[in-house]
Amino acid sequence: MTVLPSDAVLVRSIARWLPRQRWFGGKDGRRIDGLSIGSATELRPGDPGLHHLVLDVTQDGATDRYQVLLGVRRDLPGRLRHAEIEVAADGRDEPKARLYDAAFDPDLTRTLLADLADGATVGPLRFHRVPGARIRTDLASLPITGEQSNTSLLFGDAHICKLFRRLSRGVNLDLEVNLALTRDGCAHVPAVLGWFELAPGRDGGAEPVTLGLLSDYLHTGADGWSLAIASVRDWYAHTPAPGEDEWAELDASAAGGDFAAEAQRLGAATAEVHGALADAFGVETVAARDVRAMAARMNGELTATCRTVPELAPHAKALTAAFVELAALADPLSVQRVHGDYHLGQVLRTESGWTLLDFEGEPARSQDERRALAHPLRDVAGMLRSFEYAARFLIAKPGTVPPESGPRLQTRAQAWAARNRAAFCRGYAAGGGPDPAAHAALLRAFEFEKAVYEVRYEARHRPAWLPVPLGSLAHLTV
């Protein structure tokens, strides 16, 4: 019989393996000061076996929790060697277990589907199926590559299961929002089929901790970022007809891959989701003094960023003016649940229209910050910034375009972004959202706040990309 190594050996092995995982949030030079197993649940006995672990990981005095699906085999096939967690011999007589990340093993991940379909309770783990949902249990899984903070498993072309690797206290925001919108019948989110969680009290909290979310998989969907980049590429390759003057460089509709109609439809879908969020969670009002405090915070972030990224300083006067204009607004502000991290990579175009994904909010923020209410135009500003990024992505990517074409493409980038920004805003207003044109000062402040964040992020993590947000500010602040 294949058995787990001793707890001490298991903890040491995982502590060596964990920092190498893409989804581990503590890879910024900090060492792991302590690691313990908060809960261990056997989901499938035998060989192969499946154990569910919740790990308590301490770094610099703070403890984070992570979820691991631990596979156990006596003999590990070659297809799983890349997921192995190497274990040192501990001197015991039992055959040495081969441990690995079972998220890569379709023989074991079917266990999750079966438990979700049954609504099972296994130790501290509780599995839930949405009433009326049909969950197929005969499907093999395939992990999606490229994700950073979570791991998503595709089950055939029917289901997708998001495993939340770094756990937050309480109900995960993505589950909370998507479940409410599913129950409301919102057509612009994937239907939730089920979820599983750690029972209340297992972590000292009064709420269950969300571990995974199972939804419909939209296999015909194409993400908005890819579609937008294809449109930009087509526009950059477009050659004006003989005799056309310099204004041809500003007519982004002339290219065959015009995106404006889709941008307008996306705006309408966004407004509909905002309406559904308001119905599901309610709307509150913040006083003018709170708006002034928000503007002051925005200006403080600008000042701090200018100190660390001097390239932003030439735009500081115009940015400050926008924040001052926001502070001067005398009316209270309506706030509600919003997406919180809205951009072209968070939407899919399917056969039936646009679908919004990933309502977790910005990963770097705390759960309370991500759950905080905001004006819906904050999401609109995020999407407008995403259009600016899409317009300049190919220019910023080394070797994509000849250097001599840069000035001409900057003009074309501005034209493409302006056309699609306007189309999105028209669709958003027509779909029932607050008209961006009637709230220009508020939207401008939100967009500039996001741009300051982008400058700070790019300077720290992707310096080669710094010209992207700076280039957009060069024409937005004139």
Side-chain angles (χ1 to χ4, degrees):
M1 180 178 67
T2 303
V3 297
L4 286 173
S6 66
D7 286 351
V9 172
L10 178 60
V11 165
R12 287 199 303 270
S13 302
I14 291 177
R16 291 195 300 267
W17 169 81
L18 193 61
R20 300 194 299 271
Q21 306 316 300
R22 186 182 179 97
W23 41 262
F24 180 61
K27 297 193 294 289
D28 51 1
R30 295 176 295 155
R31 63 186 296 270
I32 293 178
D33 300 317
L35 188 152
S36 60
I37 300 174
S39 74
T41 307
E42 186 178 57
L43 292 176
R44 171 175 161 164
D47 188 351
L50 177 62
H51 298 255
H52 181 278
L53 304 182
V54 174
L55 308 174
D56 297 319
V57 182
T58 301
Q59 294 178 286
D60 294 342
T63 299
D64 290 314
R65 289 173 303 158
Y66 291 88
Q67 172 181 202
V68 172
L69 295 178
L70 185 68
V72 186
R73 290 176 181 261
R74 181 171 182 175
D75 298 306
L76 195 64
R79 61 184 174 84
L80 295 173
R81 294 281 173 81
H82 70 285
E84 185 172 11
I85 303 171
E86 294 184 5
V87 180
D90 59 358
R92 301 194 309 175
D93 294 330
E94 296 91 351
K96 179 182 175 183
R98 303 290 293 273
L99 307 182
Y100 59 101
D101 185 351
F104 293 91
D105 189 349
D107 294 337
L108 293 180
T109 53
R110 286 193 185 94
T111 304
L112 299 179
L113 290 183
D115 287 338
L116 286 165
D118 293 341
T121 296
V122 186
L125 305 186
R126 303 192 306 197
F127 295 81
H128 302 270
R129 179 173 59 86
V130 172
R134 179 174 177 266
I135 299 175
R136 290 183 56 183
T137 59
D138 61 332
L139 301 173
S141 66
L142 178 68
I144 295 178
T145 59
E147 288 193 281
Q148 293 187 345
S149 55
N150 303 308
T151 299
S152 288
L153 305 176
L154 295 184
F155 287 94
D157 62 355
H159 309 322
I160 182 169
C161 182
K162 180 187 287 188
L163 301 174
F164 300 106
R165 292 293 200 165
R166 187 177 183 179
L167 303 177
S168 302
R169 288 190 178 275
V171 178
N172 185 278
L173 197 56
D174 204 20
L175 169 62
E176 183 179 23
V177 172
N178 274 297
L179 187 58
L181 294 180
T182 296
R183 288 169 173 166
D184 191 52
C186 181
H188 296 295
V189 296
V192 175
L193 304 176
W195 72 96
F196 64 106
E197 63 193 17
L198 191 66
R202 305 298 298 199
D203 65 334
E207 292 184 275
V209 175
T210 307
L211 300 171
L213 168 63
L214 186 73
S215 305
D216 279 338
Y217 174 53
L218 306 175
H219 63 278
T220 62
D223 71 273
W225 176 258
S226 298
L227 294 174
I229 292 301
S231 172
V232 173
R233 184 178 288 110
D234 184 78
W235 168 230
Y236 284 176
H238 173 69
T239 302
E244 287 187 315
D245 58 20
E246 67 274 10
W247 292 104
E249 296 292 333
L250 301 178
D251 184 12
S253 67
D258 187 20
F259 190 71
E262 290 298 344
Q264 186 164 337
R265 295 185 189 100
L266 177 58
T270 304
E272 291 178 32
V273 172
H274 280 163
L277 287 170
D279 291 341
F281 296 101
V283 178
E284 298 181 10
T285 301
V286 297
R289 64 176 178 275
D290 297 314
V291 178
R292 291 193 294 272
M294 180 173 62
R297 177 183 53 77
M298 292 176 177
N299 205 50
E301 292 177 354
L302 168 63
T303 301
T305 304
C306 284
R307 283 198 295 264
T308 58
V309 190
E311 294 91 338
L312 181 61
H315 307 290
K317 184 177 179 180
L319 297 174
T320 298
F323 300 147
V324 170
E325 187 177 6
L326 172 63
L329 298 179
D331 296 332
L333 201 63
S334 296
V335 293
Q336 61 167 82
R337 284 287 184 87
V338 297
H339 185 282
D341 187 25
Y342 200 44
H343 53 78
L344 286 163
Q346 303 281 42
V347 294
L348 287 180
R349 183 62 166 92
T350 71
E351 296 172 340
S352 59
W354 284 101
T355 298
L356 280 62
L357 308 173
D358 297 333
F359 287 83
E360 290 186 80
E362 293 181 347
R365 298 189 183 276
S366 69
Q367 185 86 332
D368 290 340
E369 289 175 319
R370 286 180 274 163
R371 187 172 271 111
L373 306 183
H375 194 279
L377 287 181
R378 185 181 289 277
D379 278 349
V380 173
M383 187 56 69
L384 297 186
R385 294 303 309 158
S386 195
F387 285 126
E388 295 286 340
Y389 259 68
R392 292 167 176 79
F393 170 78
L394 296 176
I395 303 174
K397 193 174 181 181
T400 303
V401 298
E404 64 273 11
S405 66
R408 178 179 65 86
L409 295 188
Q410 287 290 349
T411 300
R412 289 200 168 191
Q414 182 177 339
W416 187 94
R419 176 172 174 77
N420 288 283
R421 287 163 58 97
F424 179 86
C425 288
R426 284 196 305 272
Y428 185 77
D435 186 356
H439 300 80
L442 181 61
L443 180 60
R444 189 174 177 85
F446 282 146
E447 185 174 358
F448 284 174
E449 177 193 29
K450 184 70 172 179
V452 171
Y453 166 82
E454 292 166 356
V455 167
R456 184 168 61 249
Y457 179 89
E458 303 299 5
R460 182 178 303 170
H461 300 288
R462 299 185 300 190
W465 281 60
L466 187 56
V468 174
L470 291 176
S472 69
L473 284 174
H475 73 87
L476 291 174
T477 57
V478 294

